[in-house]
Each structure stands twice: as structure tokens, then as C-alpha cells.
């Protein structure tokens, strides 16, 4: 195996295992030592790729977490079809798709926001970038709905986008407190009622 390929595989291993540990145990409590134990790598291997845990954290946000949000919540908003239905199915289908583990541990992005976003500008900027892209996709879809006369022209697309993101992220956090999905079912019902109110 070429050295470059080996190096890339090592970096990918660090990213994958770090993401799992951060998601399960939190960013602050996961030390470089714990990451090295999970990867069976030396500290030298870690510091060959990353100057610090902070640098690794920013890359986790900018790659792993961004990809999850993009695939689950942003890309579906650019599909063709009825705008109101797209809005509802994107959010409700995502909620329904979560594994038991994901329900117990909440949203990785939201966990990062709550744990460290107020401590480092680098974390804040990386997380904000994801939210802004998500918000932009929602605004774009809502504006399309207005142009197609399926969405009420009087509504603020920006306000609706922020509300939808906040409600979704909020219920992801709240679900961690419960042992069943009743709160998720109530969220889906509330989402449906809210989206009906957007209709032109």
C-alpha cells in the first residue's frame, strides 16, 4: 500500500472513530488518549494529521456532521414536487428514520452546539455554516412555493425556515429524555398542522 493511501486511511479511521466517541460520550470527555485507544494508533499518528483535538473537532463538524445534515435534511429539499409535501416529508421521514441509538443520543450537530459552540469561534463558524446552508435550502423551497402559488405570499420564508429547523433540533434533544416515541409522534402531528397553515 502506498504511503499516501495509508495516510488517508489512517486519517479516515481517526475521523470515524472520533465521531462515534464524540456522539456517544460528548466532545469534552473524549480525550486524544481515548481516540487512540479506539483506533489502536499512536499519539504520533494523531498529531501527524491534527495539531489538536480542536482541529479534529472542526473537521468532524465540517465533514461528518455536515454530510449527515446535507443528506438527510438539505438535499431532499431540492427535489421536484409539491412544496408543502416536500417540507412535511423531509422532516417527518427523517424523524421516522432514526435508529433507537440515534433517538437516545440526539442530533450530533445539536449536541456540538449545546456543548461547545459558545467556547470557540472555529466551532461556532463550522456549525453556523451548516445551519445557514440548511436555512438557505428551506428559504429557496418556500420561495418556489410562493412563485407556484402553493405557499402563502404573506409569510416570511426566513422566519419559517428558522422555526422548522429549531423545532426539529428541539425535539431531537427532548427525545433523549424519554423511553418511547410519543414525543416524536406529537412533533410529527404538530408539524403537519403547522405546514397546513403555510398553504396559499
Amino acid at each position: 500500500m502506498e504511503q499516501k493511501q495509508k495516510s488517508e486511511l489512517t486519517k479516515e479511521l481517526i475521523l470515524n472513530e472520533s465521531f462515534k466517541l464524540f456522539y456517544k460520550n460528548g466532545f469534552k470527555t473524549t480525550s486524544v488518549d481515548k481516540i487512540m485507544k479506539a483506533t489502536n494508533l499512536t499519539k504520533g499518528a494523531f498529531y501527524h494529521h491534527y495539531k489538536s483535538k480542536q482541529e479534529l473537532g472542526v473537521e468532524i463538524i465540517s465533514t461528518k456532521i455536515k454530510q449527515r445534515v446535507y443528506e438527510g435534511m438539505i438535499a431532499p429539499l431540492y427535489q421536484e414536487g409539491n412544496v408543502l409535501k416536500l417540507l412535511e416529508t423531509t422532516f417527518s421521514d427523517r424523524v421516522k428514520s432514526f435508529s433507537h441509538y440515534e433517538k437516545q443520543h440526539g442530533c450530533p450537530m445539536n449536541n456540538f452546539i449545546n456543548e461547545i459552540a459558545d467556547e470557540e469561534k472555529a466551532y461556532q463558524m463550522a456549525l453556523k455554516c451548516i445551519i445557514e446552508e440548511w436555512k438557505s435550502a428551506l428559504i429557496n423551497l418556500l420561495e418556489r412555493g410562493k412563485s407556484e402559488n402553493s405557499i402563502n405570499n404573506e409569510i416570511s420564508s426566513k422566519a419559517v425556515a428558522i422555526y422548522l429547523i429549531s423545532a426539529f433540533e428541539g425535539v431531537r434533544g427532548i427525545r433523549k429524555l424519554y423511553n418511547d416515541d410519543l414525543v416524536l409522534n406529537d412533533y410529527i402531528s404538530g408539524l403537519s398542522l403547522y405546514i397546513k397553515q403555510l398553504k396559499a
Side-chain angles (χ1 to χ4, degrees):
M1 188 184 295
E2 291 182 18
Q3 187 60 38
K4 185 180 178 184
Q5 187 182 6
K6 187 178 178 183
S7 180
E8 287 172 358
L9 288 172
T10 298
K11 188 173 184 180
E12 189 64 25
L13 176 64
I14 294 170
L15 280 170
N16 288 336
E17 292 304 317
S18 298
F19 173 75
K20 289 178 194 172
L21 289 169
F22 294 157
Y23 189 24
K24 182 180 179 182
N25 304 316
F27 182 78
K28 289 180 180 177
T29 59
T30 303
S31 64
V32 172
D33 284 336
K34 287 178 181 175
I35 294 167
M36 293 305 93
K37 186 176 180 182
T39 57
N40 288 316
L41 295 170
T42 63
K43 272 193 176 180
F46 178 88
Y47 288 109
H48 173 72
H49 294 285
Y50 300 100
K51 293 175 187 173
S52 62
K53 192 175 87 165
Q54 178 192 1
E55 186 177 67
L56 171 64
V58 171
E59 186 159 348
I60 290 284
I61 295 166
S62 302
T63 57
K64 296 291 181 188
I65 292 178
K66 185 176 181 178
Q67 183 181 4
R68 277 177 61 98
V69 177
Y70 183 83
E71 290 175 357
M73 300 306 299
I74 297 174
L77 299 173
Y78 287 105
Q79 295 178 68
E80 296 295 317
N82 180 278
V83 169
L84 288 164
K85 187 164 181 61
L86 268 176
L87 271 177
E88 187 167 351
T89 56
T90 296
F91 284 87
S92 62
D93 286 358
R94 186 65 175 150
V95 166
K96 292 172 186 173
S97 76
F98 292 125
S99 66
H100 181 66
Y101 185 88
E102 288 172 312
K103 290 170 185 175
Q104 284 184 313
H105 289 83
C107 171
M109 177 177 69
N110 201 15
N111 292 348
F112 264 92
I113 289 171
N114 289 322
E115 188 181 8
I116 61 171
D118 61 338
E119 295 181 7
E120 292 279 353
K121 197 78 173 171
Y123 301 139
Q124 190 178 69
M125 293 303 292
L127 289 160
K128 189 177 174 183
C129 179
I130 300 170
I131 294 292
E132 287 298 314
E133 188 175 353
W134 189 1
K135 184 174 77 173
S136 178
L138 281 165
I139 291 170
N140 179 70
L141 180 63
L142 291 160
E143 289 299 309
R144 175 162 78 82
K146 288 179 183 180
S147 69
E148 294 170 354
N149 297 314
S150 60
I151 296 283
N152 184 348
N153 267 302
E154 299 299 312
I155 65 131
S156 162
S157 296
K158 182 180 177 183
V160 171
I162 288 295
Y163 181 80
L164 287 170
I165 291 169
S166 300
F168 178 82
E169 291 301 323
V171 83
R172 291 296 316 275
I174 292 168
R175 174 57 180 82
K176 293 192 283 187
L177 303 174
Y178 296 88
N179 295 319
D180 57 48
D181 290 340
L182 291 178
V183 71
L184 294 182
N185 296 336
D186 286 340
Y187 163 79
I188 291 169
S189 297
L191 172 73
S192 183
L193 289 170
Y194 178 74
I195 288 174
K196 280 184 176 69
Q197 293 175 36
L198 304 177
K199 192 174 180 180

